[in-house]
Amino acid sequence: CLITPNLKMAALCSEFGDLVQIKKQLISVISLCKERGLVHSVKWASELAFALDPLPKDELPPSHLVSEEDVQDLDAFALAKSYFDLKEYDRAAYFLRGCHSKKAYFLYMYSRYLSGEKKKDDETVDSLGPLEKGQVRNEALRELRVELSKKHRAGELDGFTLYLYGVVLRKLDLLKEAVEVFVEATHTLPLHWGSWLELCNLVTNIEMLKSLSLPSCWIKDFFMAHIYTELQMIPGALQKYQSLIEAGFSKSTYIISQIAVAYHNIRDIDQALALFNELREQDPYRIENMDTFSNLLYVKSMKPELSYLAHNLVEIDKYRVETCCVIGNYYSLRSQHEKAALYFQRALKLNPRCLGAWTLMGHEYMEMKNTSAAIQAYRHAIEVNKRDYRAWYGLGQTYEILKMPFYCLYYYRKAHQLRPNDSRMLVALGECYEKLSQQVEAKKCYWRAFSVGDVEKMALLKLAKLQEQLTETDEAAQSYIIYIQEIFSCGEQLEHVEVSTALRYLGQYYFKNKLYDEASLCAQRCCDYNDAREEGKALLRQISQVRDQTETPSGELFVSLSDNNTPIKRVSPLNLSSFTP
């Protein structure tokens, strides 16, 4: 298409200051993608264009230039495109065989590719059957690769066909070559979002991202924000999206949804819920990302809201993947796990590459104690996206149930690599190391989990119990003190049995070290808990008996170790006066 070089130059020259020029480019690329049946790129560009102010009539971009080859192929292309839109891909490809224009060639190859994908999906009848990776594949891929590689070597591929060539290479697991082709596609046609998105799915870490030579154009900022979200670099992603809002895209529902997903990824649930509610007000019939919204409602146990969302989506489109996932989450929240798994299976029949459905179905099989099916579901999720930490974490939990600690250690490590600052991964790793008698590594994991912000407030407790087992009394006492202070200061109503465990230990610790005032305070606090009341009363009686015999002042205490006479300073006394359980 003759407009492609002009679009390329315009994109490279445009900055966010010139929103009129960006709007013109978006209108042009919408037209180009629409002709080629690239519906997702059309939707993305259209949502961005809608967020910008309308152009006056005299500012609208002219229709793209038509080549002599386009004119010759006009009738065949129009006929084939009508069949393509009706999903009759083989029929569309048949009538495009003799066409020579680049636009017609792309649609010819794309029709063949989609025909192979459709046949592959039709053969995958049972989502959780005995089908292993590679048994069902798109038979057209190898032929397409041979033909496209010849054209590529001859330099005859435009930006759209380069994108298709990259997709074919990715499907054949030729990932290195696919990355190179997608980078070339972004240089050839920077405004095609599909190429950027495919590249995003292949970038595995920040070092790989830095090594890529990408074109400098305004769309690169959207790519960087998206890839930062995928790589769990959420502060960088939020900063990028904020810059895009300030640049003039404040009305973009795409950006609002991406920010909501970013907050979901860092478990800032309240902020994410607020953004999703705002998104639903602006776009009430939106289904995209609603499965993520339902995950948040599930975590907060908001049954009425989740029920309303499920009924609302059923009214809009009951046969969408997201709708099935939302209904599955609703049944899961009601502990109807068989029904939940059924809806996740329905989602996978609609789209076998739906990452969220595979992961959620794995969770449901875990609830039903069907570990083999859970493992298979999690493995499918990893095949779809190797960066899905939930699937790696789920596999770790499954093998933990099967009492296979070396396996679960491997999977928890993978999850931790993807979410290095997630305390849940670190606590799980610590438990694994503990089972493998690697106490030093376990202690490191627990302390790291506390340092990065312990979500479940369990890391210090586990660390203290491990130190207690290793007879590291001072360290255990210090960990229990920090644990109690954390629990009481955050004001959360957690399991009191764990607080009582800490208070029991500290009471005995202070008593043994003759800090009777602190021991008495801990014993009194123990009396607030049913499971520790008797021990608390017994300790108070012991303290009373000792005080009757002799009065030892509490203060800074030094004791001797059994092996040598080197004095060590004990932990500072616990101040519980300002805390209430």
Side-chain angles (χ1 to χ4, degrees):
C1 182
L2 297 182
I3 196 171
T4 300
N6 299 332
L7 261 181
K8 177 185 174 184
M9 290 304 297
L12 293 175
C13 295
S14 294
E15 296 296 332
F16 283 112
D18 191 358
L19 291 178
V20 173
Q21 191 63 33
I22 289 174
K23 177 88 177 213
K24 287 181 181 179
Q25 294 164 18
L26 286 168
I27 292 171
S28 297
V29 83
I30 287 166
S31 173
L32 291 172
C33 291
K34 198 178 289 183
E35 285 180 330
R36 290 160 176 79
L38 296 164
V39 290
H40 293 291
S41 292
V42 169
K43 181 176 74 71
W44 183 85
S46 299
E47 285 182 348
L48 280 193
F50 183 77
L52 300 175
D53 293 333
L55 295 177
K57 185 179 179 181
D58 56 345
E59 288 282 348
L60 290 172
S63 300
H64 58 268
L65 299 173
V66 179
S67 69
E68 187 63 37
E69 291 175 335
D70 287 330
V71 174
Q72 290 175 2
D73 297 341
L74 189 62
D75 293 332
F77 184 84
L79 178 65
K81 183 64 167 62
S82 68
Y83 295 145
F84 181 92
D85 291 339
L86 292 167
K87 294 184 168 53
E88 298 183 39
Y89 301 123
D90 288 327
R91 200 175 179 190
Y94 177 79
F95 284 98
L96 287 167
R97 288 171 306 159
C99 295
H100 301 289
S101 66
K102 289 188 174 181
K103 183 168 64 176
Y105 180 72
F106 172 82
L107 194 65
Y108 169 63
M109 301 300 278
Y110 194 37
S111 297
R112 290 171 60 189
Y113 166 75
L114 288 178
S115 171
E117 286 294 295
K118 187 172 182 294
K119 288 168 186 171
K120 183 190 81 170
D121 290 344
D122 291 344
E123 285 181 38
T124 313
V125 179
D126 186 359
S127 297
L128 272 179
L131 299 167
E132 296 299 327
K133 184 181 179 184
Q135 280 192 307
V136 179
R137 63 167 60 244
N138 184 341
E139 297 297 335
L141 290 176
R142 296 190 185 281
E143 289 179 17
L144 290 172
R145 183 201 169 199
V146 171
E147 292 178 39
L148 287 168
S149 64
K150 287 178 184 175
K151 291 266 188 181
H152 184 234
R153 284 195 295 271
E156 296 175 7
L157 298 183
D158 65 359
F160 290 110
T161 324
L162 280 168
Y163 156 75
L164 179 59
Y165 183 34
V167 170
V168 169
L169 291 171
R170 177 178 63 79
K171 289 279 185 178
L172 290 168
D173 290 328
L174 301 169
L175 303 185
K176 186 180 177 183
E177 295 92 324
V179 169
E180 292 170 0
V181 170
F182 283 129
V183 169
E184 187 181 345
T186 60
H187 280 277
T188 308
L189 184 63
L191 291 174
H192 179 217
W193 178 242
S195 299
W196 294 96
L197 200 57
E198 286 288 346
L199 190 58
C200 184
N201 293 332
L202 293 174
V203 174
T204 53
N205 53 57
I206 189 65
E207 289 76 20
M208 183 178 176
L209 178 63
K210 288 177 180 177
S211 70
L212 299 178
S213 173
L214 300 170
S216 297
C217 67
W218 60 267
I219 204 170
K220 183 182 176 183
D221 283 30
F222 284 91
F223 166 76
M224 295 301 287
H226 191 97
I227 190 67
Y228 282 166
T229 306
E230 289 292 311
L231 295 175
Q232 305 300 326
M233 299 166 61
I234 305 301
L238 292 173
Q239 189 177 355
K240 285 281 184 187
Y241 282 125
Q242 188 59 41
S243 300
L244 291 169
I245 288 171
E246 292 168 1
F249 290 96
S250 58
K251 297 176 185 175
S252 169
T253 53
Y254 165 77
I255 291 179
I256 294 172
S257 68
Q258 287 297 107
I259 294 173
V261 169
Y263 279 120
H264 164 267
N265 288 355
I266 56 171
R267 297 179 67 81
D268 190 339
I269 296 171
D270 294 333
Q271 189 70 38
L273 283 172
L275 284 165
F276 273 119
N277 285 321
E278 179 188 338
L279 188 64
R280 285 193 35 93
E281 284 177 17
Q282 292 188 28
D283 191 357
Y285 292 94
R286 181 189 182 98
I287 295 182
E288 192 179 2
N289 300 121
M290 288 302 108
D291 50 338
T292 305
F293 184 31
S294 74
N295 291 342
L296 295 164
L297 297 174
Y298 179 93
V299 170
K300 295 283 278 187
S301 298
M302 298 168 76
K303 278 186 186 177
E305 291 83 354
L306 187 51
S307 173
Y308 175 76
L309 178 65
H311 281 95
N312 184 235
L313 294 185
V314 167
E315 287 176 6
I316 298 168
D317 187 350
K318 68 189 292 186
Y319 296 112
R320 276 283 291 270
V321 172
E322 294 89 344
T323 303
C324 293
C325 288
V326 171
I327 297 170
N329 272 336
Y330 171 68
Y331 281 121
S332 181
L333 189 56
R334 293 182 60 181
S335 299
Q336 294 178 258
H337 301 296
E338 291 83 1
K339 271 191 175 181
L342 178 66
Y343 274 95
F344 293 134
Q345 283 180 337
R346 285 185 186 179
L348 290 164
K349 283 193 164 87
L350 292 167
N351 180 9
R353 290 173 292 280
C354 177
L355 172 65
W358 282 118
T359 308
L360 292 169
M361 189 155 64
H363 296 344
E364 294 311 309
Y365 281 124
M366 284 279 285
E367 292 287 345
M368 292 188 282
K369 305 291 187 286
N370 188 345
T371 50
S372 61
I375 288 171
Q376 197 169 3
Y378 288 135
R379 288 192 188 283
H380 275 289
I382 290 166
E383 284 175 16
V384 175
N385 184 357
K386 288 182 172 61
R387 288 200 302 262
D388 181 31
Y389 77 93
R390 295 171 304 169
W392 292 107
Y393 184 65
L395 279 170
Q397 288 180 310
T398 311
Y399 282 108
E400 195 170 351
I401 290 170
L402 295 172
K403 294 183 170 41
M404 300 171 74
F406 284 106
Y407 276 81
C408 68
L409 180 64
Y410 171 78
Y411 292 116
Y412 283 145
R413 273 179 178 165
K414 285 282 190 182
H416 171 59
Q417 286 168 7
L418 293 166
R419 299 270 290 191
N421 293 323
D422 193 322
S423 62
R424 294 168 301 164
M425 314 298 136
L426 286 158
V427 169
L429 267 177
E431 289 173 340
C432 261
Y433 281 125
E434 211 174 326
K435 286 171 185 171
L436 294 168
S437 302
Q438 297 184 35
Q439 282 86 358
V440 174
E441 295 299 323
K443 287 194 289 184
K444 286 179 185 175
C445 288
Y446 292 142
W447 181 253
R448 172 74 177 151
F450 167 69
S451 303
V452 298
D454 187 12
V455 176
E456 296 169 339
K457 305 287 185 234
M458 292 296 290
L460 277 174
L461 185 70
K462 290 182 179 295
L463 176 62
K465 286 180 177 179
L466 178 58
Q467 290 166 334
E468 190 180 344
Q469 290 172 17
L470 298 171
T471 63
E472 297 174 356
T473 53
D474 296 338
E475 290 83 353
Q478 188 66 54
S479 297
Y480 276 129
I481 287 171
I482 302 171
Y483 168 71
I484 290 175
Q485 289 172 340
E486 283 283 312
I487 294 296
F488 287 158
S489 63
C490 71
E492 292 184 31
Q493 295 297 317
L494 298 175
E495 288 295 328
H496 289 317
V497 64
E498 303 295 358
V499 177
S500 62
T501 301
L503 288 169
R504 271 198 302 254
Y505 179 86
L506 287 170
Q508 294 294 338
Y509 173 81
Y510 285 130
F511 180 77
K512 287 173 185 173
N513 292 307
K514 301 179 182 178
L515 287 165
Y516 299 124
D517 290 344
E518 286 74 24
S520 178
L521 185 57
C522 289
Q524 288 169 20
R525 290 293 186 190
C526 282
C527 294
D528 295 332
Y529 304 99
N530 292 331
D531 64 308
R533 186 169 293 135
E534 294 305 318
E535 290 181 51
K537 288 178 180 178
L539 183 57
L540 283 171
R541 286 194 295 270
Q542 284 181 284
I543 294 168
S544 179
Q545 289 171 5
V546 171
R547 279 177 168 166
D548 288 343
Q549 294 170 5
T550 175
E551 192 71 23
T552 303
S554 291
E556 195 172 335
L557 180 69
F558 291 86
V559 297
S560 298
L561 294 174
S562 56
D563 296 332
N564 57 57
N565 293 322
T566 307
I568 60 169
K569 186 177 178 180
R570 292 295 181 191
V571 297
S572 45
L574 173 63
N575 179 14
L576 287 175
S577 58
S578 60
F579 299 127
T580 55

Short mmCIF file of all heavy atoms in Angstrom, two decimals, residues 439-440 443 463-480 505 509 570-571:
data_model
loop_
_atom_site.label_atom_id
_atom_site.label_comp_id
_atom_site.label_asym_id
_atom_site.label_seq_id
_atom_site.Cartn_x
_atom_site.Cartn_y
_atom_site.Cartn_z
N GLN A 439 17.47 -24.84 56.52
CA GLN A 439 16.93 -23.82 57.41
C GLN A 439 17.48 -22.42 57.13
O GLN A 439 16.76 -21.43 57.26
CB GLN A 439 17.21 -24.18 58.87
CG GLN A 439 16.28 -25.23 59.43
CD GLN A 439 16.75 -26.65 59.15
OE1 GLN A 439 17.76 -26.83 58.49
NE2 GLN A 439 16.00 -27.64 59.63
N VAL A 440 18.74 -22.33 56.73
CA VAL A 440 19.33 -21.02 56.46
C VAL A 440 18.60 -20.33 55.32
O VAL A 440 18.24 -19.14 55.40
CB VAL A 440 20.84 -21.16 56.14
CG1 VAL A 440 21.42 -19.80 55.73
CG2 VAL A 440 21.59 -21.71 57.34
N LYS A 443 15.09 -19.25 56.44
CA LYS A 443 15.08 -18.00 57.23
C LYS A 443 15.26 -16.78 56.34
O LYS A 443 14.61 -15.75 56.54
CB LYS A 443 16.20 -18.06 58.28
CG LYS A 443 15.90 -18.99 59.44
CD LYS A 443 16.83 -18.77 60.62
CE LYS A 443 18.24 -19.25 60.32
NZ LYS A 443 19.13 -19.13 61.48
N LEU A 463 9.08 -17.48 60.63
CA LEU A 463 10.49 -17.28 60.96
C LEU A 463 10.73 -17.52 62.45
O LEU A 463 11.68 -18.21 62.84
CB LEU A 463 10.91 -15.85 60.58
CG LEU A 463 12.34 -15.44 60.95
CD1 LEU A 463 13.36 -16.32 60.24
CD2 LEU A 463 12.59 -13.97 60.60
N ALA A 464 9.86 -16.99 63.29
CA ALA A 464 10.01 -17.14 64.73
C ALA A 464 9.90 -18.61 65.14
O ALA A 464 10.69 -19.10 65.97
CB ALA A 464 8.95 -16.31 65.45
N LYS A 465 8.95 -19.32 64.55
CA LYS A 465 8.78 -20.75 64.90
C LYS A 465 10.00 -21.56 64.47
O LYS A 465 10.42 -22.48 65.19
CB LYS A 465 7.52 -21.29 64.22
CG LYS A 465 6.23 -20.82 64.87
CD LYS A 465 5.01 -21.40 64.16
CE LYS A 465 3.72 -20.99 64.87
NZ LYS A 465 2.53 -21.51 64.19
N LEU A 466 10.56 -21.22 63.31
CA LEU A 466 11.77 -21.92 62.84
C LEU A 466 12.94 -21.63 63.77
O LEU A 466 13.69 -22.53 64.14
CB LEU A 466 12.08 -21.49 61.41
CG LEU A 466 13.34 -22.09 60.78
CD1 LEU A 466 13.29 -23.62 60.77
CD2 LEU A 466 13.54 -21.58 59.34
N GLN A 467 13.09 -20.35 64.16
CA GLN A 467 14.17 -19.99 65.09
C GLN A 467 13.97 -20.68 66.45
O GLN A 467 14.94 -21.08 67.09
CB GLN A 467 14.20 -18.46 65.26
CG GLN A 467 14.69 -17.74 64.01
CD GLN A 467 14.41 -16.25 64.03
OE1 GLN A 467 13.48 -15.80 64.70
NE2 GLN A 467 15.21 -15.48 63.29
N GLU A 468 12.71 -20.83 66.84
CA GLU A 468 12.40 -21.52 68.10
C GLU A 468 12.83 -22.98 68.01
O GLU A 468 13.45 -23.52 68.95
CB GLU A 468 10.89 -21.43 68.35
CG GLU A 468 10.46 -21.88 69.71
CD GLU A 468 8.95 -21.76 69.89
OE1 GLU A 468 8.30 -21.06 69.10
OE2 GLU A 468 8.44 -22.41 70.82
N GLN A 469 12.56 -23.63 66.87
CA GLN A 469 12.99 -25.03 66.66
C GLN A 469 14.50 -25.16 66.69
O GLN A 469 15.04 -26.17 67.16
CB GLN A 469 12.45 -25.54 65.33
CG GLN A 469 10.95 -25.76 65.29
CD GLN A 469 10.46 -26.07 63.89
OE1 GLN A 469 11.26 -26.43 63.01
NE2 GLN A 469 9.17 -25.93 63.66
N LEU A 470 15.19 -24.14 66.16
CA LEU A 470 16.66 -24.16 66.11
C LEU A 470 17.28 -23.65 67.40
O LEU A 470 18.50 -23.42 67.44
CB LEU A 470 17.14 -23.32 64.92
CG LEU A 470 16.70 -23.80 63.53
CD1 LEU A 470 17.06 -22.77 62.46
CD2 LEU A 470 17.34 -25.13 63.19
N THR A 471 16.45 -23.47 68.42
CA THR A 471 16.87 -22.97 69.75
C THR A 471 17.61 -21.63 69.65
O THR A 471 18.52 -21.35 70.43
CB THR A 471 17.74 -24.00 70.50
OG1 THR A 471 18.95 -24.24 69.77
CG2 THR A 471 16.98 -25.30 70.71
N GLU A 472 17.23 -20.81 68.69
CA GLU A 472 17.76 -19.45 68.59
C GLU A 472 16.79 -18.55 69.35
O GLU A 472 15.97 -17.82 68.77
CB GLU A 472 17.88 -19.03 67.12
CG GLU A 472 18.86 -19.89 66.33
CD GLU A 472 18.86 -19.55 64.84
OE1 GLU A 472 18.05 -18.70 64.41
OE2 GLU A 472 19.66 -20.14 64.10
N THR A 473 16.86 -18.62 70.68
CA THR A 473 15.83 -18.03 71.53
C THR A 473 15.73 -16.51 71.39
O THR A 473 14.63 -15.96 71.32
CB THR A 473 16.10 -18.39 73.00
OG1 THR A 473 17.44 -18.03 73.33
CG2 THR A 473 15.89 -19.88 73.23
N ASP A 474 16.87 -15.83 71.35
CA ASP A 474 16.85 -14.37 71.25
C ASP A 474 16.23 -13.92 69.93
O ASP A 474 15.40 -13.02 69.88
CB ASP A 474 18.27 -13.80 71.37
CG ASP A 474 18.87 -14.09 72.73
OD1 ASP A 474 18.08 -14.32 73.67
OD2 ASP A 474 20.10 -14.08 72.85
N GLU A 475 16.67 -14.58 68.84
CA GLU A 475 16.17 -14.21 67.52
C GLU A 475 14.67 -14.50 67.41
O GLU A 475 13.91 -13.71 66.84
CB GLU A 475 16.93 -14.98 66.43
CG GLU A 475 18.37 -14.55 66.24
CD GLU A 475 19.32 -15.23 67.24
OE1 GLU A 475 18.83 -15.93 68.15
OE2 GLU A 475 20.54 -15.04 67.10
N ALA A 476 14.25 -15.65 67.97
CA ALA A 476 12.83 -16.00 67.94
C ALA A 476 12.00 -14.97 68.70
O ALA A 476 10.94 -14.54 68.25
CB ALA A 476 12.62 -17.39 68.53
N ALA A 477 12.50 -14.56 69.87
CA ALA A 477 11.79 -13.55 70.66
C ALA A 477 11.65 -12.25 69.89
O ALA A 477 10.59 -11.62 69.87
CB ALA A 477 12.53 -13.32 71.99
N GLN A 478 12.73 -11.83 69.26
CA GLN A 478 12.70 -10.58 68.48
C GLN A 478 11.68 -10.68 67.34
O GLN A 478 10.91 -9.75 67.08
CB GLN A 478 14.09 -10.28 67.92
CG GLN A 478 14.22 -8.92 67.25
CD GLN A 478 14.06 -7.78 68.24
OE1 GLN A 478 14.75 -7.73 69.25
NE2 GLN A 478 13.14 -6.89 67.96
N SER A 479 11.65 -11.82 66.67
CA SER A 479 10.70 -12.01 65.56
C SER A 479 9.25 -11.99 66.07
O SER A 479 8.38 -11.38 65.45
CB SER A 479 10.97 -13.34 64.85
OG SER A 479 12.26 -13.34 64.25
N TYR A 480 9.02 -12.64 67.23
CA TYR A 480 7.66 -12.65 67.81
C TYR A 480 7.23 -11.23 68.21
O TYR A 480 6.08 -10.84 68.03
CB TYR A 480 7.60 -13.57 69.03
CG TYR A 480 7.38 -15.02 68.70
CD1 TYR A 480 8.20 -16.02 69.22
CD2 TYR A 480 6.31 -15.41 67.87
CE1 TYR A 480 7.98 -17.37 68.94
CE2 TYR A 480 6.10 -16.75 67.57
CZ TYR A 480 6.93 -17.73 68.11
OH TYR A 480 6.71 -19.05 67.81
N TYR A 505 5.12 -17.67 74.00
CA TYR A 505 6.58 -17.82 73.91
C TYR A 505 7.28 -16.67 74.64
O TYR A 505 8.22 -16.89 75.41
CB TYR A 505 7.03 -17.87 72.45
CG TYR A 505 8.53 -18.00 72.30
CD1 TYR A 505 9.14 -19.25 72.31
CD2 TYR A 505 9.35 -16.88 72.17
CE1 TYR A 505 10.51 -19.39 72.21
CE2 TYR A 505 10.73 -17.01 72.06
CZ TYR A 505 11.31 -18.26 72.08
OH TYR A 505 12.66 -18.39 71.97
N TYR A 509 9.82 -16.66 77.69
CA TYR A 509 11.16 -16.12 77.41
C TYR A 509 11.54 -15.09 78.47
O TYR A 509 12.64 -15.13 79.04
CB TYR A 509 11.17 -15.50 76.02
CG TYR A 509 12.44 -14.76 75.67
CD1 TYR A 509 13.57 -15.44 75.23
CD2 TYR A 509 12.51 -13.38 75.78
CE1 TYR A 509 14.74 -14.76 74.91
CE2 TYR A 509 13.66 -12.69 75.47
CZ TYR A 509 14.77 -13.38 75.04
OH TYR A 509 15.93 -12.71 74.73
N ARG A 570 20.18 -9.20 75.56
CA ARG A 570 18.87 -9.72 75.21
C ARG A 570 18.08 -8.67 74.44
O ARG A 570 18.44 -7.49 74.42
CB ARG A 570 18.10 -10.12 76.47
CG ARG A 570 18.69 -11.32 77.17
CD ARG A 570 18.57 -12.56 76.31
NE ARG A 570 19.10 -13.72 77.00
CZ ARG A 570 19.31 -14.87 76.43
NH1 ARG A 570 19.07 -15.03 75.15
NH2 ARG A 570 19.79 -15.88 77.12
N VAL A 571 16.95 -9.11 73.85
CA VAL A 571 16.11 -8.17 73.11
C VAL A 571 15.49 -7.18 74.07
O VAL A 571 15.28 -7.47 75.24
CB VAL A 571 14.99 -8.92 72.34
CG1 VAL A 571 15.57 -9.84 71.32
CG2 VAL A 571 14.08 -9.67 73.28
#
